[in-house]
């Protein structure tokens, strides 16, 4: 009852015959307590009227970039800040293709590109369009980016053909959205610290020693943790990634700064996830001027940095949980198990550079989770968003033990 109370759901309707079901979806969401707004593509209006959608959603429908009568601008950026979830239902093959390729020629699509909240798509199309490699590729692209796809069930299609392609029933789409928010609450009241990205160790005012970490895994974790209701503090080395909605960001550059930031906050968090690729060595001295090119080889003396995870592992209270990452190139399991012990972690996420699809900057990851009780779980190659959800599920399980 009222599972979606206080939630803002934006429903995007694209132009397919299943658009008539979008009215039932909006009703189901409103019945569940959500505040719903509707954005339609020009084609969708041929399948269901704006009047119907405005009546069921209790708000004017948004379809154009602006009102030609008075120049009133429909701001897709403020729509995306308003929404807690964006569900595109029906999502036609055309709309899915445009979403996958970043085409922004209507309000539904510009809104999608600005979205920071979870996006759900319920495809609807004819069986052959669904099966076409182009559509399947687009779906994969969207899934890799974290879009939840509600697969169409098999059944009779508007064309008279039997197969996969008809949109999932509105009640089931509404139930899926409810589930997203139930899951969301599993970390309500908990504070989680996440370290992410590389660190840059300055050699002189211009050069540094860094690494290839993109920060994508840590940012995906921060986003999913916030979606699960946690208060998230993301302590990030230099990256160019957008800050996920609802996440507090502390930017740092060098390992020493990351150490200071983690030390400052660790006592007040319930969980700490050390996802950053922290430099293990830093130059002993930072030159105050740009080092000039000389004929002789340049030797830079390096000193070890503090192992942040190990340092706070020593101060860990009984009710705190820490998770580390291990990126290995050989003897993976043994090395990861050793790190689990020496850093006093509750679990460690192992990924190997030897695995295909795994690597710096990639959108996918293949992990093995090793827990301190010795349990080992290996996952297939998955989008980083999905990997984040699996790690969070393991954290939630461990907190309940
Ligand atoms: O020992 P290694 O660097 O492989 O350990 C990786 C794990 O330790 C990661 O969780 C990483 O974030 C953390 N770490 C750290 N501080 C360092 C080095 C690694 O917190 N100086």
């Amino acid at each position: 009852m009222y599972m979606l109370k206080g939630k803002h759901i934006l429903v995007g309707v694209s132009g397919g015959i299943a658009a008539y079901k979008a009215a039932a979806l909006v009703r189901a969401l409103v019945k569940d307590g959500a505040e719903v707004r509707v954005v339609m593509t020009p084609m969708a209006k041929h399948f269901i009227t704006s009047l119907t959608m405005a009546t069921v959603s209790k708000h004017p429908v948004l379809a154009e970039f602006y009102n030609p009568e008075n120049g009133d601008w429909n701001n897709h950026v403020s729509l995306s800040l308003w929404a807690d979830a964006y569900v595109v239902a029906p999502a036609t093959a055309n709309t899915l293709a445009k979403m996958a390729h970043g085409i922004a020629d209507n309000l539904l699509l510009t809104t999608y590109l600005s979205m920071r909240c979870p996006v759900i798509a319920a495809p609807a199309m004819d069986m052959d369009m669904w099966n076409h490699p182009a559509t399947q590729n687009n779906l994969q692209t969207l899934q890799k980016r974290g879009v939840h796809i509600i697969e169409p069930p098999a059944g009779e299609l508007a064309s008279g053909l039997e197969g996969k392609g008809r949109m999932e029933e509105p009640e089931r789409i509404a139930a899926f959205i409810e589930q997203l928010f139930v899951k969301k609450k599993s970390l309500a009241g908990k504070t989680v610290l996440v370290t992410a990205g590389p660190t840059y160790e300055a050699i002189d005012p211009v050069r540094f020693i860094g690494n290839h970490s993109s920060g994508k895994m840590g940012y995906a974790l921060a986003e999913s943790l916030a979606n699960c209701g946690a208060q998230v503090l993301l302590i990030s080395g230099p990256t160019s990634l957008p800050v996920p909605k609802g996440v507090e960001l502390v930017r740092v550059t060098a390992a020493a700064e990351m150490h200071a930031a983690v030390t400052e906050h660790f006592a007040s968090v319930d969980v700490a996830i050390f996802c950053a690729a922290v430099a293990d060595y830093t130059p002993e001295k930072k030159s105050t001027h740009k080092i000039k090119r000389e004929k002789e080889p340049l030797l830079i003396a390096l000193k070890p940095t503090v192992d942040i995870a190990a340092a706070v592992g020593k101060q860990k209270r009984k009710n705190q949980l820490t998770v580390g990452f291990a990126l290995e190139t050989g003897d993976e399991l043994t090395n990861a198990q050793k790190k689990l012990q020496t850093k006093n972690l509750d679990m460690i996420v192992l990924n190997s550079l030897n695995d295909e699809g795994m690597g710096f900057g990639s959108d996918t990851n293949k992990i093995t989770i090793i827990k301190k009780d010795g349990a080992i779980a290996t996952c297939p190659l998955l989008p980083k968003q999905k990997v984040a959800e699996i790690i969070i599920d393991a954290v939630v399980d461990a907190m309940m033990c």
Side-chain angles (χ1 to χ4, degrees):
M1 190 73 170
Y2 298 133
M3 302 260 280
L4 296 175
K5 194 164 170 30
K7 299 291 173 220
H8 294 167
I9 314 283
L10 185 65
V11 176
V13 185
S14 60
I17 182 65
Y20 79 92
K21 292 188 191 173
L25 171 63
V26 171
R27 282 203 73 141
L29 296 169
V30 169
K31 225 171 125 189
D32 243 358
E35 191 180 328
V36 182
R37 307 202 109 211
V38 176
V39 55
M40 294 173 83
T41 63
M43 192 55 131
K45 292 202 280 181
H46 294 295
F47 289 94
I48 187 158
T49 67
S50 318
L51 181 60
T52 304
M53 297 309 290
T55 308
V56 288
S57 68
K58 303 176 186 166
H59 285 292
V61 162
L62 304 156
E64 311 298 338
F65 288 116
Y66 65 95
N67 181 342
E69 303 281 304
N70 59 13
D72 199 17
W73 177 248
N74 284 325
N75 188 338
H76 56 94
V77 176
S78 61
L79 259 185
S80 54
L81 292 175
W82 171 87
D84 295 306
Y86 185 23
V87 53
V88 181
T92 59
N94 180 47
T95 289
L96 288 167
K98 287 179 173 180
M99 284 166 70
H101 292 88
I103 295 168
D105 61 359
N106 62 45
L107 193 60
L108 182 151
L109 294 163
T110 47
T111 307
Y112 164 67
L113 288 181
S114 320
M115 271 301 156
R116 289 177 170 202
C117 65
V119 177
I120 302 110
M125 64 200 74
D126 209 51
M127 182 177 82
D128 294 320
M129 293 174 89
W130 170 261
N131 287 333
H132 198 283
T135 306
Q136 289 302 317
N137 274 342
N138 292 333
L139 287 163
Q140 272 180 22
T141 303
L142 291 170
Q143 262 176 322
K144 270 192 203 155
R145 294 193 195 130
V147 174
H148 301 272
I149 305 290
I150 305 183
E151 289 225 358
E156 196 192 326
L157 299 163
S159 60
L161 293 172
E162 280 275 335
K164 246 181 162 184
R166 75 177 208 206
M167 189 176 88
E168 183 54 281
E169 292 309 318
E171 297 71 28
R172 295 183 74 119
I173 300 174
F176 182 92
I177 297 166
E178 279 168 20
Q179 263 320 100
L180 271 187
F181 287 108
V182 170
K183 220 172 144 201
K184 267 186 149 188
K185 292 202 181 95
S186 59
L187 286 170
K190 301 286 178 202
T191 306
V192 185
L193 181 158
V194 180
T195 68
T199 64
Y200 288 177
E201 310 301 319
I203 297 170
D204 67 16
V206 181
R207 287 84 164 215
F208 60 82
I209 298 173
N211 60 66
H212 292 299
S213 170
S214 64
K216 282 182 182 169
M217 191 63 243
Y219 278 61
L221 272 165
E223 183 176 10
S224 296
L225 287 160
N227 284 341
C228 289
Q231 193 177 330
V232 186
L233 180 68
L234 178 61
I235 299 178
S236 172
T239 75
S240 51
L241 300 170
V243 188
K245 195 179 175 186
V247 169
E248 187 187 336
L249 178 74
V250 176
R251 280 193 200 282
V252 295
T253 306
E257 286 169 48
M258 188 173 275
H259 177 222
V262 172
T263 309
E264 183 187 337
H265 296 282
F266 184 70
S268 60
V269 305
D270 300 288
V271 181
I273 304 180
F274 300 104
C275 194
V278 188
D280 289 323
Y281 292 93
T282 191
E284 233 166 24
K285 280 191 222 130
K286 177 186 158 189
S287 168
T288 50
H289 60 272
K290 186 178 170 196
I291 299 170
K292 294 265 178 286
R293 177 205 289 266
E294 302 287 352
K295 289 226 167 65
E296 297 306 308
L298 174 69
L299 295 177
I300 300 171
L302 301 175
K303 60 179 182 190
T305 55
V306 174
D307 185 331
I308 306 168
V312 296
K314 291 195 180 108
Q315 306 152 17
K316 186 165 69 167
R317 298 189 308 268
K318 261 205 174 126
N319 57 353
Q320 284 182 306
L321 197 129
T322 55
V323 181
F325 274 71
L327 178 68
E328 302 296 333
T329 52
D331 243 347
E332 285 110 342
L333 216 51
T334 318
N335 282 331
Q337 277 159 334
K338 241 188 244 162
K339 284 177 192 172
L340 181 80
Q341 302 268 331
T342 52
K343 295 175 200 263
N344 190 24
L345 299 164
D346 295 275
M347 70 182 80
I348 191 154
V349 180
L350 163 67
N351 37 55
S352 163
L353 263 188
N354 299 331
D355 284 326
E356 211 178 300
M358 216 326 284
F360 296 107
S362 116
D363 290 319
T364 52
N365 202 355
K366 188 176 166 196
I367 58 154
T368 297
I369 299 180
I370 307 161
K371 295 190 181 161
K372 80 172 170 204
D373 64 5
I376 298 175
T378 301
C379 306
L381 185 71
L382 291 167
K384 283 187 173 164
Q385 207 57 49
K386 192 77 206 144
V387 173
E389 284 169 23
I390 292 170
I391 295 168
I392 293 164
D393 282 348
V395 167
V396 171
D397 284 351
M399 286 170 87
M400 287 194 293
C401 289

